[in-house]
């Protein structure tokens, strides 16, 4: 007599337990909404054809000069930390900043020329409102995603970047145009974190508004020409 082959069976209690666990943890790891970029500098200055290797940034230091924005960042970081495993957060008290420009692959002489030339740049203070939350995938790491506060309207910041590029063109140094979105980093998470869900949860979160009245490159401070 031929016996019927028996197929492996999954017990009903196991199936029920699996359904319950999935319902308790509906967030799935995904980061499809993130910008796939990490600054504007090439990975290798030499491979990009540049003689210099000096990379430096112009940045707007937000903390500790804007307490209302710092408070909102702290609230957002609480949501971020309770939503999954977080690798690190930027201190709302002293570390919050926005990089206004990435200077890439310059020689020592070119760097000095740029820093001196920017003291003569013609610009006026302008407002920036951080009223969105976004992210980008780190291009220098296999498992790192950045979460940010961001302005929905980035036109004033890109106009400012174009001014910097105009100064560099006048100085006859190469330009790596600013293309990545402007942001204020809040946290770093792994690719197993539910990034898309958290970005959606913080979608309508407003961090506040400030006026850009100066910026820094290292220890150098720059202000609008009087």
């Amino acid at each position: 007599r031929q016996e019927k082959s028996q197929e492996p069976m999954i017990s009903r209690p196991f199936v029920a337990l699996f359904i319950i666990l999935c319902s308790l943890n509906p967030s799935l790891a995904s980061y499809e909404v993130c910008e796939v970029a990490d600054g504007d500098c090439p990975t290798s200055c030499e491979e990009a054809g540049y003689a210099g290797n000096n990379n430096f940034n112009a940045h707007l230091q937000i903390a500790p000069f804007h307490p209302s924005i710092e408070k909102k960042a702290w609230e957002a970081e609480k949501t971020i930390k309770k939503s999954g495993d977080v690798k690190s957060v930027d201190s709302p008290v002293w570390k919050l900043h926005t990089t206004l420009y990435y200077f890439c692959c310059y020689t020592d002489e070119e760097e000095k020329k740029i820093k001196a030339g920017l003291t003569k740049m013609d610009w006026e203070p302008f407002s920036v409102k951080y009223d969105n939350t976004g992210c980008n995938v780190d291009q220098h790491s296999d498992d790192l995603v950045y979460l940010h506060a961001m302005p929905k309207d980035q036109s004033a910041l890109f106009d400012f970047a174009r001014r910097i590029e105009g100064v560099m063109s006048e100085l006859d140094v190469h330009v790596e145009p600013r293309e990545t979105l402007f942001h204020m980093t809040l946290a770093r998470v792994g690719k197993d974190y539910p990034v898309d869900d958290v970005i959606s949860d913080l979608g309508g979160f407003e961090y506040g508004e400030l006026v850009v009245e100066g910026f820094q490159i290292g220890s150098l401070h720059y202000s609008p020409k009087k």
Side-chain angles (χ1 to χ4, degrees):
R1 187 179 61 180
Q2 187 177 8
E3 295 184 358
K4 295 182 179 179
S5 61
Q6 293 186 354
E7 297 181 358
M9 298 182 66
I10 301 175
S11 67
R12 290 180 180 178
F14 179 84
V15 173
L17 177 61
F18 178 79
I19 293 172
I20 291 171
L21 290 174
C22 288
S23 66
L24 291 175
N25 185 24
S27 297
L28 299 175
S30 61
Y31 45 91
E32 295 181 0
V33 300
C34 297
E35 183 182 23
V36 184
D38 185 15
D40 294 294
C41 293
T43 303
S44 168
C45 294
E46 184 178 359
E47 291 179 5
Y50 296 123
N53 287 297
N54 295 359
N55 294 342
F56 52 100
N57 300 331
H59 75 274
L60 167 67
Q61 191 64 39
I62 296 171
F65 307 110
H66 300 278
S68 60
I69 293 178
E70 295 160 34
K71 181 179 179 181
K72 289 293 187 178
W74 178 76
E75 292 175 8
E77 288 179 5
K78 281 202 304 181
T79 297
I80 291 168
K81 285 189 283 189
K82 74 180 183 183
S83 300
D85 184 30
V86 175
K87 295 183 180 297
S88 67
V89 295
D90 279 11
S91 168
V93 178
W94 62 273
K95 202 171 181 181
L96 299 179
H97 70 279
T98 290
T99 298
L100 299 175
Y101 205 85
Y102 300 95
F103 298 92
C104 313
C105 304
Y106 293 102
T107 63
D108 291 343
E109 182 180 348
E110 289 172 331
E111 180 176 344
K112 291 177 182 177
K113 186 187 292 188
I114 291 168
K115 289 178 176 178
L118 289 175
T119 62
K120 302 174 184 177
M121 184 172 70
D122 185 19
W123 66 285
E124 295 180 356
F126 59 94
S127 296
V128 175
K129 185 177 183 180
Y130 294 86
D131 54 356
N132 196 20
T133 306
C135 52
N136 76 276
V137 179
D138 192 329
Q139 299 300 286
H140 303 95
S141 169
D142 292 333
D143 185 35
L144 199 61
V145 179
Y146 292 82
L147 304 183
H148 311 295
M150 305 175 71
K152 289 180 182 177
D153 182 359
Q154 303 220 346
S155 57
L157 287 161
F158 274 108
D159 287 346
F160 184 77
R162 301 291 91 90
R163 284 184 178 273
I164 290 178
E165 292 164 6
V167 170
M168 291 195 293
S169 295
E170 292 175 0
L171 295 172
D172 196 26
V173 297
H174 70 265
V175 175
E176 290 287 332
R178 174 77 192 224
E179 295 179 351
T180 53
L181 296 174
F182 293 88
H183 57 262
M184 177 181 74
T185 298
L186 299 171
R188 296 156 191 80
V189 300
K191 290 182 178 177
D192 57 348
Y193 183 92
V195 175
D196 290 346
D197 288 343
V198 173
I199 296 300
S200 177
D201 291 343
L202 292 172
F205 196 85
E206 294 201 1
Y207 300 84
E209 188 171 2
L210 55 77
V211 177
V212 180
E213 298 179 294
F215 63 94
Q216 295 174 237
I217 299 178
S219 59
L220 300 176
H221 294 258
Y222 297 81
S223 300
K225 290 173 63 179
K226 301 297 183 181

